[in-house]
Amino acid sequence: ILNVEQSPQSLHVQEGDSTNFTCSFPSSNFYALHWYRWETAKSPEALFVMTLNGDEKKKGRISATLNTKEGYSYLYIKGSQPEDSATYLCASYNYGQNFVFGPGTRLSVLP
Amino acid sequence: EAGVAQSPRYKIIEKRQSVAFWCNPISGHATLYWYQQILGQGPKLLIQFQNNGVVDDSQLPKDRFSAERLKGVDSTLKIQPAKLEDSAVYLCASSLLPGASTSYEQYFGPGTRLTVT
């Protein structure tokens, strides 16, 4: 089973700060990269599905980029708010494997 | 639209006992996934169904875990007998199109938190 890594493991920022995290995934046989937000006691919620090298997607204050050649994706949050506090998960789908999730980045936004 | 439903939300059992989890996916979603999420780790795929057929169960510990998807809709995941290391959150997810399911987001249920003592 191929490895998907995320960094940092956890992050504490002040309200209003911008932040970003990294997802590293196998570049060989890559097909799709998913980002999810998982708030405590709730269901994981899909943020983005990305497939093309150079893809950039945006939803409100959150955006993501994808580099399939080097195997990484960045998730950016502009002007963090307390309601952004959650665990952010990425999952890679590579041919010959099924979805492999990273361990997540736990974000805490302090008011 | 109604989301993915799971029950129970919480379950505490002793080791060597049996337990079953239920999932009702979003109506019309052909693909259904069961994941195991151990504290501090990402969700691990246990089994993927497409309609009522198994697509991938390579990471399902088949000596103790079983799953079925009746009539291509609801699904049940069973553990028999449970071990301490089975303590985890069990997530069910569904997605829309079978052929291109990897390009479509997965919709997750709230999960079942299992504690084995």
Side-chain angles (χ1 to χ4, degrees):
Chain A
I1 298 295
L2 300 175
N3 210 30
V4 175
E5 298 177 349
Q6 292 188 247
S7 64
Q9 185 175 33
S10 64
L11 194 56
H12 298 263
V13 301
Q14 290 294 135
E15 183 175 354
D17 287 350
S18 293
T19 187
N20 65 86
F21 347 116
T22 305
C23 172
S24 301
F25 55 88
S27 57
S28 61
N29 301 317
F30 172 81
Y31 189 89
L33 191 284
H34 293 215
W35 279 102
Y36 293 88
R37 174 170 58 201
W38 193 1
E39 295 179 65
T40 303
K42 294 187 177 180
S43 307
E45 171 197 359
L47 290 173
F48 306 113
V49 176
M50 309 174 82
T51 56
L52 300 176
N53 185 45
D55 236 359
E56 292 188 29
K57 295 211 172 181
K58 186 175 181 181
K59 183 184 287 189
R61 295 179 291 100
I62 305 177
S63 60
T65 61
L66 181 67
N67 183 322
T68 62
K69 295 185 187 304
E70 297 182 41
Y72 64 84
S73 175
Y74 294 136
L75 187 79
Y76 300 91
I77 302 178
K78 184 178 178 182
S80 302
Q81 300 296 311
E83 58 264 30
D84 296 328
S85 297
T87 296
Y88 290 82
L89 294 165
C90 67
S92 177
Y93 184 92
N94 297 62
Y95 290 108
Q97 299 281 335
N98 211 317
F99 284 102
V100 177
F101 277 81
T105 292
R106 185 185 297 274
L107 173 68
S108 295
V109 182
L110 307 173
Chain B
E1 66 184 356
V4 175
Q6 287 188 251
S7 67
R9 291 295 307 275
Y10 304 92
K11 190 74 176 179
I12 301 173
I13 61 172
E14 295 181 351
K15 60 184 179 185
R16 291 186 290 273
Q17 285 188 321
S18 303
V19 65
F21 313 128
W22 173 82
C23 173
N24 180 239
I26 292 173
S27 177
H29 280 196
T31 307
L32 185 146
Y33 307 84
W34 281 103
Y35 290 91
Q36 178 193 58
Q37 195 258 336
I38 292 172
L39 191 64
Q41 300 178 19
K44 181 181 86 170
L45 180 68
L46 293 176
I47 189 167
Q48 177 187 352
F49 291 96
Q50 190 161 299
N51 296 310
N52 59 353
V54 175
V55 174
D56 183 354
D57 63 356
S58 57
Q59 297 191 90
L60 187 74
K62 298 179 185 65
D63 58 333
R64 297 184 301 106
F65 286 64
S66 64
E68 60 181 3
R69 189 178 184 193
L70 301 172
K71 299 180 181 178
V73 182
D74 291 6
S75 178
T76 303
L77 177 70
K78 296 180 182 177
I79 308 175
Q80 180 179 10
K83 292 185 176 181
L84 295 176
E85 58 260 35
D86 298 331
S87 294
V89 174
Y90 291 83
L91 291 164
C92 177
S94 67
S95 66
L96 190 56
L97 296 176
S101 61
T102 55
S103 297
Y104 287 84
E105 59 196 36
Q106 296 180 35
Y107 292 81
F108 283 86
T112 296
R113 183 176 296 278
L114 174 68
T115 302
V116 182
T117 63

